[in-house]
Amino acid sequence: VGGAVSRVRELMWILASFAVKPECQGQGIGEQLLAAALHHGRGCLRGMLSASADAKAIRRYRAAGFSLHPQMYLSGSVDRAAIPVVEEVRDGSAGDFELMDSIDRRIRGAAHGPDHAVLLDMFRLVVSDTSTGSGYAFHAADGMPALLAASNGRTAARLLWECLAASGESVRVPHVTAANEWAIDVGLAARLDLVQEGYLALRDMRPPAPYLHHGSLL
């Protein structure tokens, strides 16, 4: 009738999925599922989850002590004339995982660890590593960034432009929080539309930036 999937990455607890069948809601099942998932992360210092706008779920997350940060997404057709020349970005590989984990720890307080290998099987990895900043991004064949992290906004913007350059007729940039105005600036410069959708729920941490989180791996 329902289920929850949570992960622990170093001292970070992540709720990857949480759902109860509509006809079984309102019976306390969701409360029990979330309690069990939270127990899994009882030794963690921080927590993250990406939530829809479902009112019942939002109330439950807030009652569990999570702060709610509105998410936005950018979508539309990229203005190809607006794409700058992207330099100092290369294709990444498993050899970059150590660098990527160090960026994760700096930006969100925990490495993705084994998640990187999973994402590498599904998406293209691009990396920028210079004397002024480092970062990485996984993006789909249509240019959608699946996960992006960088040490500063300039590097993050360069990586996002690389993603958008791979887009086709349309693209979507999900999971943008107000802490990541650099992504909003890039999207608006590319003539994409900005829409609010869902929340990033956090416990004992600030919204990561520069960072575009993955929907379930966060």
Side-chain angles (χ1 to χ4, degrees):
V1 297
V5 176
S6 66
R7 296 183 173 89
V8 170
R9 295 292 181 260
E10 298 180 340
L11 294 178
M12 174 79 74
W13 175 86
I14 292 166
L15 184 64
S17 65
F18 173 58
V20 177
K21 294 176 68 175
E23 63 269 25
C24 298
Q25 294 176 7
Q27 302 176 34
I29 296 169
E31 182 179 3
Q32 295 178 60
L33 286 170
L34 185 58
L38 287 167
H39 183 71
H40 174 229
R42 61 194 178 278
C44 294
L45 299 179
R46 292 168 290 275
M48 296 180 70
L49 64 95
S50 187
S52 69
D54 181 80
K56 294 179 181 178
I58 292 301
R59 282 195 293 269
R60 199 167 301 285
Y61 298 144
R62 182 59 189 154
F66 287 84
S67 57
L68 303 172
H69 302 270
Q71 292 184 136
M72 297 165 275
Y73 68 88
L74 294 147
S75 66
S77 297
V78 174
D79 181 356
R80 313 304 296 186
I83 300 176
V85 176
V86 179
E87 299 178 334
E88 299 178 318
V89 173
R90 58 174 173 79
D91 283 316
S93 69
D96 294 300
F97 288 175
E98 184 175 348
L99 169 66
M100 293 157 62
D101 279 340
S102 69
I103 296 170
D104 292 339
R105 293 187 183 101
R106 176 177 176 179
I107 302 303
R108 72 167 198 164
H112 277 90
D115 301 335
H116 288 311
V118 174
L119 293 169
L120 187 59
D121 284 340
M122 302 169 62
F123 304 106
R124 179 194 178 204
L125 170 63
V126 291
V127 173
S128 181
D129 185 21
T130 71
S131 60
T132 58
S134 301
Y136 70 90
F138 289 99
H139 75 77
D142 63 359
M144 183 192 76
L147 174 64
L148 187 154
S151 58
N152 57 61
R154 179 174 296 182
T155 302
R158 187 161 58 236
L159 289 163
L160 183 52
W161 276 119
E162 177 69 17
C163 296
L164 296 180
S167 66
E169 293 185 3
S170 63
V171 69
R172 179 182 171 98
V173 180
H175 307 142
V176 180
T177 61
N180 289 280
E181 290 188 332
W182 62 270
I184 296 174
D185 291 339
V186 170
L188 296 181
R191 301 297 188 269
L192 300 179
D193 297 326
L194 182 65
V195 182
Q196 196 277 322
E197 180 184 63
Y199 299 88
L200 175 62
L202 303 174
R203 190 163 68 174
D204 298 323
M205 62 182 292
R206 296 179 179 179
Y211 195 73
L212 300 178
H213 61 271
H214 186 273
S216 61
L217 299 178
L218 276 297

